[in-house]
Amino acid sequence: MRAPRATRSTALHAGAWWVWALGLATAASRTTNPLLLGLLAGVAGYVVAARRTDAPWARSYGAFVKLGLVVLGVRLVFAFVLGSPIPGTHTLVTLPELPLPDWAKGVRVGGRVTAEGMVFALYDGLKLATLLICVGAANALANPARLLKSLPGALYEAGVAVVVAMTFAPNLVADVQRLRAARRLRGRPDRGVAALLQVGLPVLEGALERSVALAAAMDARGYGRTAQVPPAVRRLTSVLTLGGLLGVCAGTYGLLGDSGGGYGLPLLAVGLAAALAGLWLGGRRSVRTRYRPEAWGVRAWLVSGSGVAVAALMIAANGYAPGALHPPAVPLTAPVLPLWPALSLLVGLVPAVVAPAPGPTRGAARGSDPAARSATAVPPPRTSRTSHPSPTSRPARTADPSRTSQPSRPSDSGPCTKESAQ
């Protein structure tokens, strides 16, 4: 299957990227092996490098990678300063320990720093960093506006609010830059508290004008209107939604914990089904239609299925290779790369092959390929009505200066009469 160019009609559904990324994050939560975590981060990074566009949200992946490194560093610093609950025999350094009151028993600052405690902190920090990298991959690959557009009808008010906020934020930044440039051209200072106060009032005025115009446009298009739903249906919707969300939370906790893998997956499935049923019933109150609805095609199923497969295979690997997925810190042993879990992580590379390839930014934004855009960028010259039907059959005629129309001017001898015109 050859991947096409990403256009408005062939772009992958944003929800498929999130399902794929959450599958990788679930797999990362099931292991502390640094080799498997590094391989998982490499899979996410390769897919991002192969399918990332030049859109502004696509630049967030580097920020998530840096945030993951910061989390790893903070985890190591805390283990170094505050100690670790893991007992160890290999002492690296002994810090001066601060005396603490009796009510702070179990907490210490300083003391003996062991290699086993630092290795345990390294494994734990790598897991958190990999989770952040997987979430960053979803943020870099999924279009947030198209993702909010795909929200169910029960959540469309929240989606509209988020879209409006995302649209107004760049406008506010552009207004501030424009006003600061205008102050510089007038020789006025554009920095400091006084300049900020003088710039803030026009920015606020422009934001209020846009808000009023947007509210009028949304009211004219029927936003906020709801249909009549029986009270029993509303109560059932609330029960299903609340119960489904609680089931999703409990199931996710079970999947992330080592001892809750047996009940986590069934509880998560039941919670998702109840939450989706509640959202479907809640969407009946929303009287609206979708313009160009997002299609969930075969490629979206392949991308999301690869993430789900990685999570399922990693959960299954905890049953036959728990020691390889969780290398012990006591005693100190070098981690081993298990073969089958490593091969199961490579299933996450499927989006790099089947997902639509990114195109140029302007072409992707307009929803056309580069060839079509270049063909329509320059319109053909418009021919005059007086031109010959077949201009290629005879040479172009040179314009006669005497026959060119001149603007009418008043006569020096007075108004023009019929005799003078003749």
Side-chain angles (χ1 to χ4, degrees):
M1 180 183 293
R2 185 178 179 182
R5 285 287 181 180
T7 61
R8 187 176 185 86
S9 58
T10 61
L12 197 69
H13 197 285
W17 286 121
W18 274 100
V19 174
W20 168 80
L22 292 178
L24 297 186
T26 303
S29 67
R30 305 299 297 177
T31 180
T32 56
N33 192 322
L35 301 179
L36 291 177
L37 293 174
L39 180 61
L40 195 58
V43 168
Y46 181 79
V47 174
V48 170
R51 290 297 181 262
R52 181 173 59 176
T53 63
D54 295 333
W57 62 82
R59 305 170 188 171
S60 63
Y61 182 72
F64 277 90
V65 173
K66 295 177 182 178
L67 181 60
L69 295 177
V70 170
V71 168
L72 177 59
V74 170
R75 183 68 180 87
L76 291 175
V77 169
F78 278 10
F80 186 82
V81 176
L82 303 179
S84 176
I86 302 299
T89 57
H90 298 79
T91 304
L92 297 178
V93 65
T94 302
L95 300 177
E97 187 171 356
L98 298 178
L100 297 177
D102 295 337
W103 55 266
K105 288 183 178 180
V107 180
R108 67 180 180 88
V109 178
R112 193 167 59 96
V113 180
T114 61
E116 290 84 356
M118 296 301 296
V119 169
F120 177 79
L122 176 64
Y123 291 170
D124 197 20
L126 280 175
K127 179 194 290 189
L128 297 177
T130 307
L131 289 172
L132 289 174
I133 288 174
C134 294
V135 175
N139 280 275
L141 294 171
N143 189 335
R146 301 186 70 172
L147 179 63
L148 293 172
K149 179 183 176 182
S150 304
L151 286 177
L155 302 177
Y156 93 100
E157 290 94 349
V160 170
V162 175
V163 169
V164 169
M166 293 173 57
T167 306
F168 270 45
N171 292 334
L172 292 178
V173 175
D175 286 348
V176 172
Q177 294 177 351
R178 175 176 55 83
L179 292 172
R180 291 182 61 185
R183 290 182 62 86
R184 286 195 300 268
L185 291 175
R186 292 178 174 88
R188 299 176 182 177
D190 60 333
R191 298 182 183 275
V193 179
L196 181 61
L197 294 176
Q198 294 180 3
V199 169
L201 184 59
V203 170
L204 180 60
E205 182 182 358
L208 290 176
E209 290 179 356
R210 282 193 300 269
S211 300
V212 172
L214 179 63
M218 293 175 66
D219 183 69
R221 288 166 174 81
Y223 279 94
R225 300 178 183 177
T226 57
Q228 294 294 333
V229 178
V233 177
R234 291 201 300 267
R235 288 192 290 269
L236 180 61
T237 300
S238 302
V239 171
L240 287 176
T241 304
L242 182 59
L245 293 178
L246 291 177
V248 168
C249 294
T252 304
Y253 178 79
L255 288 178
L256 295 179
D258 295 335
S259 60
Y263 68 86
L265 189 59
L267 192 57
L268 178 62
V270 173
L272 283 176
L276 291 177
L279 292 177
W280 178 75
L281 288 176
R284 297 175 60 182
R285 298 180 63 248
S286 173
V287 184
R288 68 189 184 111
T289 58
R290 294 183 183 270
Y291 177 69
R292 291 181 180 176
E294 299 292 329
W296 190 285
V298 178
R299 299 182 186 275
W301 282 111
L302 291 175
V303 171
S304 58
S306 65
V308 174
V310 169
L313 291 174
M314 188 59 65
I315 292 174
N318 279 269
Y320 63 83
L325 267 62
H326 302 278
V330 180
L332 285 176
T333 55
V336 180
L337 181 64
L339 178 60
W340 291 110
L343 292 178
S344 65
L345 295 182
L346 296 181
V347 180
L349 294 173
V350 170
V353 180
V354 301
T361 305
R362 293 183 61 187
R366 295 184 181 181
S368 59
D369 57 295
R373 191 178 70 255
S374 61
T376 59
V378 181
R382 299 179 61 183
T383 58
S384 174
R385 293 185 179 180
T386 58
S387 60
H388 198 271
S390 57
T392 57
S393 60
R394 60 177 62 184
R397 181 179 299 175
T398 305
D400 188 2
S402 62
R403 301 183 63 182
T404 56
S405 60
Q406 297 291 340
S408 59
R409 294 182 299 176
S411 176
D412 297 336
S413 57
C416 179
T417 61
K418 183 175 180 181
E419 290 80 1
S420 62
Q422 292 177 353

